[in-house]
Amino acid sequence: MSTSILPKPLIALLLIVLPVLAWSWHEPADRLTWWLEAMPVVLALPLLLATGRRFPLTPLLYGVISIHMVFLLVGAHYTYAQTPVEFWLKDLLALERNPYDRLGHFLQGATPALLARELFVRLAIVRGRGWQQFLAIAVALAFSAFYELLEWGAAVAYGAEAEHFLAMQGDIWDTQWDMATALIAAISILPLSDRLHRRQISTLTVQSDPAAPPSR
């Protein structure tokens, strides 16, 4: 694969995410919450650009990352508890809380799981599909737990100012639900995407090294 230009899926990601980033930054509901929610996007974009030429990701993973970034930026703009479209879903399903936060944690489980599997396979870190799947799920759950620790740290550091970032909406089991949602997402996304993901990984492997054996 040529290292002189960015891969098309990454260019598509930038064309989608950068306008949303600009919109999200403009007059958010709470500036501190914006930084806390949007920070993963702010940190990930330069990393994707830095690695995009020499180590491009699969189109599937770029697509999921794009969705996740847009989701984070919308939540950063409105705050997760006040995202307008989810009030419609809350009323439709007769829920007690705005479910945007739950959907965000679903993506928080799916994205790390796919990224972990891709790295395990392409870098030959883990051999055997069973171990790849198991450890990818473990990575996703570990990331979710780490994020909950970050939320706890923000609560300690900023007190009531971090309320919108926590998005607990009065649920004392919010932390447990968040991690369970991420776990369910990881367990679901890996088998559902297995054939497509591995085929795309094999395509990237062949493009970068035509003599390389197919990815397993």
Side-chain angles (χ1 to χ4, degrees), residues 88-105:
W88 170 80
L89 186 59
K90 174 185 175 182
D91 295 337
L92 178 66
L93 301 178
L95 301 175
E96 295 182 357
R97 70 197 307 275
N98 188 319
Y100 196 83
D101 180 54
R102 294 281 184 261
L103 296 176
H105 284 278

PDB file of all heavy atoms in Angstrom, residues 88-105:
ATOM      1  N   TRP A  88     -36.830  11.486  22.524  1.00  0.00           N
ATOM      2  CA  TRP A  88     -37.860  10.842  21.722  1.00  0.00           C
ATOM      3  C   TRP A  88     -37.869   9.342  21.975  1.00  0.00           C
ATOM      4  O   TRP A  88     -38.926   8.729  22.164  1.00  0.00           O
ATOM      5  CB  TRP A  88     -37.607  11.119  20.243  1.00  0.00           C
ATOM      6  CG  TRP A  88     -38.477  10.306  19.336  1.00  0.00           C
ATOM      7  CD1 TRP A  88     -39.780  10.548  18.996  1.00  0.00           C
ATOM      8  CD2 TRP A  88     -38.116   9.088  18.672  1.00  0.00           C
ATOM      9  NE1 TRP A  88     -40.246   9.556  18.155  1.00  0.00           N
ATOM     10  CE2 TRP A  88     -39.253   8.653  17.938  1.00  0.00           C
ATOM     11  CE3 TRP A  88     -36.943   8.329  18.609  1.00  0.00           C
ATOM     12  CZ2 TRP A  88     -39.234   7.494  17.164  1.00  0.00           C
ATOM     13  CZ3 TRP A  88     -36.929   7.174  17.841  1.00  0.00           C
ATOM     14  CH2 TRP A  88     -38.072   6.770  17.132  1.00  0.00           C
ATOM     15  N   LEU A  89     -36.667   8.728  22.003  1.00  0.00           N
ATOM     16  CA  LEU A  89     -36.581   7.296  22.262  1.00  0.00           C
ATOM     17  C   LEU A  89     -37.016   6.975  23.691  1.00  0.00           C
ATOM     18  O   LEU A  89     -37.670   5.951  23.934  1.00  0.00           O
ATOM     19  CB  LEU A  89     -35.140   6.820  22.031  1.00  0.00           C
ATOM     20  CG  LEU A  89     -34.890   5.312  22.108  1.00  0.00           C
ATOM     21  CD1 LEU A  89     -35.746   4.589  21.082  1.00  0.00           C
ATOM     22  CD2 LEU A  89     -33.415   5.009  21.884  1.00  0.00           C
ATOM     23  N   LYS A  90     -36.684   7.854  24.624  1.00  0.00           N
ATOM     24  CA  LYS A  90     -37.095   7.658  26.012  1.00  0.00           C
ATOM     25  C   LYS A  90     -38.613   7.612  26.119  1.00  0.00           C
ATOM     26  O   LYS A  90     -39.188   6.742  26.774  1.00  0.00           O
ATOM     27  CB  LYS A  90     -36.536   8.793  26.878  1.00  0.00           C
ATOM     28  CG  LYS A  90     -37.025   8.770  28.325  1.00  0.00           C
ATOM     29  CD  LYS A  90     -36.531  10.003  29.080  1.00  0.00           C
ATOM     30  CE  LYS A  90     -37.107  10.039  30.484  1.00  0.00           C
ATOM     31  NZ  LYS A  90     -36.680  11.257  31.226  1.00  0.00           N
ATOM     32  N   ASP A  91     -39.297   8.557  25.441  1.00  0.00           N
ATOM     33  CA  ASP A  91     -40.758   8.592  25.476  1.00  0.00           C
ATOM     34  C   ASP A  91     -41.363   7.397  24.749  1.00  0.00           C
ATOM     35  O   ASP A  91     -42.358   6.814  25.195  1.00  0.00           O
ATOM     36  CB  ASP A  91     -41.268   9.901  24.862  1.00  0.00           C
ATOM     37  CG  ASP A  91     -40.863  11.112  25.688  1.00  0.00           C
ATOM     38  OD1 ASP A  91     -40.601  10.946  26.891  1.00  0.00           O
ATOM     39  OD2 ASP A  91     -40.795  12.228  25.127  1.00  0.00           O
ATOM     40  N   LEU A  92     -40.755   7.038  23.605  1.00  0.00           N
ATOM     41  CA  LEU A  92     -41.278   5.942  22.807  1.00  0.00           C
ATOM     42  C   LEU A  92     -41.251   4.627  23.568  1.00  0.00           C
ATOM     43  O   LEU A  92     -42.216   3.842  23.521  1.00  0.00           O
ATOM     44  CB  LEU A  92     -40.472   5.810  21.505  1.00  0.00           C
ATOM     45  CG  LEU A  92     -40.879   4.664  20.566  1.00  0.00           C
ATOM     46  CD1 LEU A  92     -42.273   4.905  20.011  1.00  0.00           C
ATOM     47  CD2 LEU A  92     -39.862   4.513  19.429  1.00  0.00           C
ATOM     48  N   LEU A  93     -40.169   4.380  24.295  1.00  0.00           N
ATOM     49  CA  LEU A  93     -39.994   3.118  25.003  1.00  0.00           C
ATOM     50  C   LEU A  93     -40.388   3.198  26.476  1.00  0.00           C
ATOM     51  O   LEU A  93     -40.215   2.231  27.222  1.00  0.00           O
ATOM     52  CB  LEU A  93     -38.537   2.653  24.897  1.00  0.00           C
ATOM     53  CG  LEU A  93     -38.012   2.426  23.471  1.00  0.00           C
ATOM     54  CD1 LEU A  93     -36.548   2.015  23.504  1.00  0.00           C
ATOM     55  CD2 LEU A  93     -38.853   1.394  22.737  1.00  0.00           C
ATOM     56  N   ALA A  94     -40.911   4.365  26.877  1.00  0.00           N
ATOM     57  CA  ALA A  94     -41.334   4.579  28.268  1.00  0.00           C
ATOM     58  C   ALA A  94     -40.200   4.294  29.250  1.00  0.00           C
ATOM     59  O   ALA A  94     -40.372   3.598  30.259  1.00  0.00           O
ATOM     60  CB  ALA A  94     -42.559   3.718  28.590  1.00  0.00           C
ATOM     61  N   LEU A  95     -39.027   4.837  28.938  1.00  0.00           N
ATOM     62  CA  LEU A  95     -37.862   4.642  29.795  1.00  0.00           C
ATOM     63  C   LEU A  95     -37.822   5.699  30.887  1.00  0.00           C
ATOM     64  O   LEU A  95     -38.405   6.775  30.754  1.00  0.00           O
ATOM     65  CB  LEU A  95     -36.575   4.714  28.956  1.00  0.00           C
ATOM     66  CG  LEU A  95     -36.461   3.700  27.814  1.00  0.00           C
ATOM     67  CD1 LEU A  95     -35.208   3.966  26.991  1.00  0.00           C
ATOM     68  CD2 LEU A  95     -36.432   2.275  28.368  1.00  0.00           C
ATOM     69  N   GLU A  96     -37.099   5.415  31.956  1.00  0.00           N
ATOM     70  CA  GLU A  96     -37.002   6.350  33.068  1.00  0.00           C
ATOM     71  C   GLU A  96     -35.855   7.347  32.886  1.00  0.00           C
ATOM     72  O   GLU A  96     -35.772   8.319  33.629  1.00  0.00           O
ATOM     73  CB  GLU A  96     -36.801   5.588  34.382  1.00  0.00           C
ATOM     74  CG  GLU A  96     -37.995   4.719  34.764  1.00  0.00           C
ATOM     75  CD  GLU A  96     -37.786   4.015  36.092  1.00  0.00           C
ATOM     76  OE1 GLU A  96     -36.688   4.169  36.669  1.00  0.00           O
ATOM     77  OE2 GLU A  96     -38.711   3.327  36.553  1.00  0.00           O
ATOM     78  N   ARG A  97     -34.967   7.096  31.938  1.00  0.00           N
ATOM     79  CA  ARG A  97     -33.809   7.953  31.741  1.00  0.00           C
ATOM     80  C   ARG A  97     -33.515   8.095  30.258  1.00  0.00           C
ATOM     81  O   ARG A  97     -33.946   7.275  29.446  1.00  0.00           O
ATOM     82  CB  ARG A  97     -32.579   7.386  32.478  1.00  0.00           C
ATOM     83  CG  ARG A  97     -32.057   6.125  31.824  1.00  0.00           C
ATOM     84  CD  ARG A  97     -31.143   5.300  32.695  1.00  0.00           C
ATOM     85  NE  ARG A  97     -30.039   6.034  33.262  1.00  0.00           N
ATOM     86  CZ  ARG A  97     -28.872   6.269  32.646  1.00  0.00           C
ATOM     87  NH1 ARG A  97     -28.709   5.862  31.391  1.00  0.00           N
ATOM     88  NH2 ARG A  97     -27.895   6.882  33.285  1.00  0.00           N
ATOM     89  N   ASN A  98     -32.779   9.133  29.908  1.00  0.00           N
ATOM     90  CA  ASN A  98     -32.307   9.300  28.538  1.00  0.00           C
ATOM     91  C   ASN A  98     -31.284   8.204  28.243  1.00  0.00           C
ATOM     92  O   ASN A  98     -30.284   8.089  28.943  1.00  0.00           O
ATOM     93  CB  ASN A  98     -31.657  10.685  28.403  1.00  0.00           C
ATOM     94  CG  ASN A  98     -31.307  11.035  26.959  1.00  0.00           C
ATOM     95  OD1 ASN A  98     -30.826  10.198  26.207  1.00  0.00           O
ATOM     96  ND2 ASN A  98     -31.538  12.280  26.592  1.00  0.00           N
ATOM     97  N   PRO A  99     -31.516   7.361  27.201  1.00  0.00           N
ATOM     98  CA  PRO A  99     -30.651   6.205  26.977  1.00  0.00           C
ATOM     99  C   PRO A  99     -29.384   6.494  26.187  1.00  0.00           C
ATOM    100  O   PRO A  99     -28.649   5.573  25.841  1.00  0.00           O
ATOM    101  CB  PRO A  99     -31.566   5.261  26.190  1.00  0.00           C
ATOM    102  CG  PRO A  99     -32.443   6.174  25.405  1.00  0.00           C
ATOM    103  CD  PRO A  99     -32.683   7.365  26.303  1.00  0.00           C
ATOM    104  N   TYR A 100     -29.110   7.759  25.881  1.00  0.00           N
ATOM    105  CA  TYR A 100     -27.939   8.085  25.061  1.00  0.00           C
ATOM    106  C   TYR A 100     -26.656   7.562  25.712  1.00  0.00           C
ATOM    107  O   TYR A 100     -25.764   7.063  25.026  1.00  0.00           O
ATOM    108  CB  TYR A 100     -27.858   9.595  24.862  1.00  0.00           C
ATOM    109  CG  TYR A 100     -26.936  10.007  23.732  1.00  0.00           C
ATOM    110  CD1 TYR A 100     -27.386  10.008  22.417  1.00  0.00           C
ATOM    111  CD2 TYR A 100     -25.622  10.405  23.977  1.00  0.00           C
ATOM    112  CE1 TYR A 100     -26.555  10.383  21.382  1.00  0.00           C
ATOM    113  CE2 TYR A 100     -24.784  10.782  22.954  1.00  0.00           C
ATOM    114  CZ  TYR A 100     -25.252  10.771  21.652  1.00  0.00           C
ATOM    115  OH  TYR A 100     -24.415  11.140  20.631  1.00  0.00           O
ATOM    116  N   ASP A 101     -26.557   7.689  27.013  1.00  0.00           N
ATOM    117  CA  ASP A 101     -25.376   7.227  27.727  1.00  0.00           C
ATOM    118  C   ASP A 101     -25.175   5.727  27.549  1.00  0.00           C
ATOM    119  O   ASP A 101     -24.053   5.255  27.346  1.00  0.00           O
ATOM    120  CB  ASP A 101     -25.516   7.575  29.213  1.00  0.00           C
ATOM    121  CG  ASP A 101     -24.315   7.131  30.029  1.00  0.00           C
ATOM    122  OD1 ASP A 101     -23.192   7.507  29.660  1.00  0.00           O
ATOM    123  OD2 ASP A 101     -24.497   6.402  31.011  1.00  0.00           O
ATOM    124  N   ARG A 102     -26.256   4.962  27.607  1.00  0.00           N
ATOM    125  CA  ARG A 102     -26.154   3.506  27.433  1.00  0.00           C
ATOM    126  C   ARG A 102     -25.648   3.160  26.021  1.00  0.00           C
ATOM    127  O   ARG A 102     -24.803   2.279  25.843  1.00  0.00           O
ATOM    128  CB  ARG A 102     -27.507   2.849  27.661  1.00  0.00           C
ATOM    129  CG  ARG A 102     -28.020   2.962  29.081  1.00  0.00           C
ATOM    130  CD  ARG A 102     -27.363   1.951  30.015  1.00  0.00           C
ATOM    131  NE  ARG A 102     -27.956   2.051  31.331  1.00  0.00           N
ATOM    132  CZ  ARG A 102     -27.429   2.704  32.356  1.00  0.00           C
ATOM    133  NH1 ARG A 102     -26.261   3.321  32.211  1.00  0.00           N
ATOM    134  NH2 ARG A 102     -28.035   2.757  33.523  1.00  0.00           N
ATOM    135  N   LEU A 103     -26.178   3.846  25.022  1.00  0.00           N
ATOM    136  CA  LEU A 103     -25.731   3.601  23.651  1.00  0.00           C
ATOM    137  C   LEU A 103     -24.259   3.960  23.496  1.00  0.00           C
ATOM    138  O   LEU A 103     -23.511   3.296  22.766  1.00  0.00           O
ATOM    139  CB  LEU A 103     -26.587   4.401  22.673  1.00  0.00           C
ATOM    140  CG  LEU A 103     -28.068   4.029  22.630  1.00  0.00           C
ATOM    141  CD1 LEU A 103     -28.827   4.967  21.693  1.00  0.00           C
ATOM    142  CD2 LEU A 103     -28.254   2.583  22.181  1.00  0.00           C
ATOM    143  N   GLY A 104     -23.826   5.017  24.181  1.00  0.00           N
ATOM    144  CA  GLY A 104     -22.426   5.398  24.145  1.00  0.00           C
ATOM    145  C   GLY A 104     -21.532   4.317  24.723  1.00  0.00           C
ATOM    146  O   GLY A 104     -20.445   4.031  24.190  1.00  0.00           O
ATOM    147  N   HIS A 105     -21.971   3.690  25.796  1.00  0.00           N
ATOM    148  CA  HIS A 105     -21.166   2.636  26.399  1.00  0.00           C
ATOM    149  C   HIS A 105     -21.215   1.352  25.575  1.00  0.00           C
ATOM    150  O   HIS A 105     -20.278   0.538  25.659  1.00  0.00           O
ATOM    151  CB  HIS A 105     -21.610   2.392  27.836  1.00  0.00           C
ATOM    152  CG  HIS A 105     -21.124   3.447  28.775  1.00  0.00           C
ATOM    153  ND1 HIS A 105     -19.853   3.436  29.300  1.00  0.00           N
ATOM    154  CD2 HIS A 105     -21.714   4.573  29.257  1.00  0.00           C
ATOM    155  CE1 HIS A 105     -19.684   4.491  30.073  1.00  0.00           C
ATOM    156  NE2 HIS A 105     -20.800   5.196  30.067  1.00  0.00           N
TER     157      HIS A 105
END
